[in-house]
Amino acid sequence: MSQIFPTVAKLLGGYNVTKLAAPAATASRAKYSTKNEATFEIKYKLHRLENSPSSKATLTSEDAIRLYEQMTILRRLETAASNMYKEKIIRGFCHLYSGQEAVAVGMRAAMRDVDSVITAYRCHGWTYLMGGTVLSILAELAGRRSGCSRGKGGSMHLYGRNFYGGNGIVGAQVPLGAGVAFAHKYTGDGGVNFALYGDGAANQGQIFEAMNMAKLMDLPCVFVCENNGYGMGTSADRAAASPHYYTRGDYVPGIWVDGMDVVATREATRFAIDYCTSGKGPLVMEMETYRYSGHSMSDPGTSYRTREEIQEVRQTRDPITSFKDKILTAGLVTADQLKELDTKVRKEVDVANSAAKSDSEIGLEELAADIYKECLEPDNLIRGTNPDTPLQHISVAN
């Protein structure tokens, strides 16, 4: 089978990942004389669990700056994507993650290098957190050669090391995630897979099939339902007889988490990793969050909810401003530090945005590139649509 792996195989095998460095702004900590750490209270809801994550979590000043920076980058990345779509530089589908940043950033903060992620089409932020650059994401959305898939995948097909991408088919990523979890168990590498899906996808039959198989084999898989309140244009209450998604695994234990609190999502993920690596099998996590944009860029998002509702969430529950107030009040950072960080992030995204727009598309010679991981056909020729005019297979280093 190795000779017929599609483009994804090469991307996953050759993706150049560097660890996210500590923000440069941390160097200003002594200058502004902030506290070193603070403790915060967290609340969870449990289903068939005897133990829960700690109700208290400690955050250092470096943690606070890193989490704030990453959430800010994700928000600005999506703003840039939105503007590029409106300029018709991005075509096709484009699903934004604005409002849900605390889920991805908090989870990633707790994950280890060996752990893996697969998610749906709202995947731009996860690509960044799993090692991609802002440029590689924006260029991919625009179909340019600097994109992480050479511009051939677009918004819903971004990949990286241990990141099995977005998936354009509603709910289809969940059984794939269970398969990746099986690979973790089979190889004994100690990894845990996080399979993310939305509240709309939670009603798909394949979700329950995947949970059943994962429990039968006690796979190290965390089923993460990002409950942003709406499946396309239908509210969760109108679509689900039971909107308590953390309980819907039945025999699979579950936990409800405030997905607008980056500290809570981090601590819940740490708990999930400990649970799965202890051999207890899968776990369901419901992250209650909110999306500010419509389901996709073609959806204004105001025909099935009011503008007042969106504004109220922005003012009272926004994951970035809430976290900002929390760490300022705790003395972990100062307003000057965050202002300095905001300027740095804005410049980074603006530079990448300009580079993505000016980048070129790949040439037609790459039409048959990366079809196979290892092409075993004679002379690297691929049949293509016309057997009389075969295509030359080439490999492109990412």
Side-chain angles (χ1 to χ4, degrees), residues 40-233:
F40 301 95
E41 298 283 340
I42 306 173
K43 293 182 179 179
Y44 307 97
K45 299 175 186 176
L46 306 179
H47 168 67
R48 298 187 67 157
L49 279 172
E50 295 180 359
N51 301 313
S52 72
S54 173
S55 60
K56 294 185 179 181
T58 299
L59 201 67
T60 68
S61 56
E62 283 199 6
D63 290 338
I65 292 172
R66 181 178 291 105
L67 295 173
Y68 179 83
E69 179 184 31
Q70 290 176 358
M71 286 196 291
T72 304
I73 287 177
L74 265 57
R75 179 70 59 86
R76 285 204 166 271
L77 170 63
E78 297 294 53
T79 300
S82 175
N83 292 334
M84 289 173 69
Y85 190 94
K86 293 171 184 176
E87 295 170 21
K88 297 185 178 181
I89 296 172
I90 297 174
R91 300 300 185 99
F93 293 103
C94 186
H95 304 80
L96 304 182
Y97 202 63
S98 301
Q100 300 181 215
E101 296 88 355
V103 176
V105 171
M107 288 180 62
R108 185 66 180 98
M111 288 169 56
R112 307 157 302 165
D113 289 343
V114 71
D115 298 323
S116 59
V117 173
I118 188 167
T119 187
Y121 32 70
R122 219 174 293 280
C123 60
H124 310 154
W126 268 110
T127 308
Y128 174 78
L129 295 172
M130 293 300 287
T133 64
V134 176
L135 173 59
S136 73
I137 296 164
L138 292 177
E140 186 60 37
L141 301 184
R144 309 299 168 86
R145 64 173 61 243
S146 297
C148 59
S149 298
R150 297 289 288 172
K152 296 187 288 186
S155 175
M156 296 189 286
H157 303 99
L158 307 173
Y159 305 95
R161 181 180 176 276
N162 280 350
F163 178 56
Y164 293 84
N167 197 307
I169 303 173
V170 175
Q173 71 278 7
V174 179
L176 294 176
V180 176
F182 177 79
H184 282 308
K185 183 171 183 176
Y186 185 80
T187 60
D189 63 11
V192 173
N193 176 262
F194 292 87
L196 293 96
Y197 56 99
D199 51 282
N203 298 315
Q204 286 273 323
Q206 58 190 323
I207 308 293
F208 299 96
E209 294 175 36
M211 288 181 180
N212 179 59
M213 295 182 71
K215 183 56 184 174
L216 280 172
M217 294 184 279
D218 279 338
L219 300 180
C221 187
V222 183
F223 298 96
V224 184
C225 178
E226 291 186 277
N227 179 8
N228 61 25
Y230 298 91
M232 293 193 72

Side-chain angles (χ1 to χ4, degrees), residues 22 36 46 115 156 294 349 377 394 397:
N36 184 52
L46 306 179
D115 298 323
M156 296 189 286
V349 176
E377 300 297 328
I394 60 174

Side-chain angles (χ1 to χ4, degrees), residues 82-392:
S82 175
N83 292 334
M84 289 173 69
Y85 190 94
K86 293 171 184 176
E87 295 170 21
K88 297 185 178 181
I89 296 172
I90 297 174
R91 300 300 185 99
F93 293 103
C94 186
H95 304 80
L96 304 182
Y97 202 63
S98 301
Q100 300 181 215
E101 296 88 355
V103 176
V105 171
M107 288 180 62
R108 185 66 180 98
M111 288 169 56
R112 307 157 302 165
D113 289 343
V114 71
D115 298 323
S116 59
V117 173
I118 188 167
T119 187
Y121 32 70
R122 219 174 293 280
C123 60
H124 310 154
W126 268 110
T127 308
Y128 174 78
L129 295 172
M130 293 300 287
T133 64
V134 176
L135 173 59
S136 73
I137 296 164
L138 292 177
E140 186 60 37
L141 301 184
R144 309 299 168 86
R145 64 173 61 243
S146 297
C148 59
S149 298
R150 297 289 288 172
K152 296 187 288 186
S155 175
M156 296 189 286
H157 303 99
L158 307 173
Y159 305 95
R161 181 180 176 276
N162 280 350
F163 178 56
Y164 293 84
N167 197 307
I169 303 173
V170 175
Q173 71 278 7
V174 179
L176 294 176
V180 176
F182 177 79
H184 282 308
K185 183 171 183 176
Y186 185 80
T187 60
D189 63 11
V192 173
N193 176 262
F194 292 87
L196 293 96
Y197 56 99
D199 51 282
N203 298 315
Q204 286 273 323
Q206 58 190 323
I207 308 293
F208 299 96
E209 294 175 36
M211 288 181 180
N212 179 59
M213 295 182 71
K215 183 56 184 174
L216 280 172
M217 294 184 279
D218 279 338
L219 300 180
C221 187
V222 183
F223 298 96
V224 184
C225 178
E226 291 186 277
N227 179 8
N228 61 25
Y230 298 91
M232 293 193 72
T234 306
S235 67
D237 289 337
R238 291 180 60 210
S242 172
H244 305 295
Y245 299 100
Y246 70 102
T247 69
R248 292 177 67 179
D250 188 12
Y251 39 79
V252 178
I255 179 170
W256 176 93
V257 186
D258 181 357
M260 304 297 264
D261 182 349
V262 70
V263 180
T265 60
R266 186 191 69 172
E267 294 307 302
T269 303
R270 284 177 174 170
F271 173 84
I273 291 173
D274 289 342
Y275 182 91
C276 289
T277 54
S278 67
K280 296 177 182 177
L283 188 70
V284 176
M285 286 204 303
E286 176 186 350
M287 300 286 191
E288 186 170 313
T289 182
Y290 197 85
R291 60 168 165 84
Y292 294 147
S293 302
H295 174 72
S296 68
M297 288 298 295
S298 61
D299 168 25
T302 53
S303 60
Y304 48 86
R305 58 181 179 175
T306 64
R307 296 182 187 276
E308 289 74 21
E309 176 186 310
I310 301 170
Q311 191 61 27
E312 182 183 2
V313 176
R314 283 186 178 274
Q315 292 174 351
T316 62
R317 297 176 56 211
D318 182 81
I320 298 177
T321 55
S322 296
F323 185 65
K324 178 180 180 180
D325 292 343
K326 183 180 294 187
I327 58 180
L328 283 171
T329 301
L332 292 175
V333 295
T334 66
D336 286 339
Q337 278 179 291
L338 297 185
K339 183 178 179 180
E340 180 182 295
L341 194 55
D342 287 337
T343 301
K344 171 179 173 284
V345 169
R346 182 170 60 251
K347 181 178 180 180
E348 178 183 346
V349 176
D350 287 349
V351 168
N353 191 17
S354 297
K357 290 179 179 180
S358 62
D359 198 14
S360 61
E361 298 178 356
I362 60 173
L364 290 177
E365 69 277 2
E366 286 197 36
L367 181 64
D370 303 324
I371 302 298
Y372 302 98
K373 181 180 180 183
E374 298 176 13
C375 184
L376 302 182
E377 300 297 328
D379 300 320
N380 277 348
L381 293 179
I382 300 175
R383 179 181 183 276
T385 58
N386 190 332
D388 296 326
T389 56
L391 301 171
Q392 182 73 38

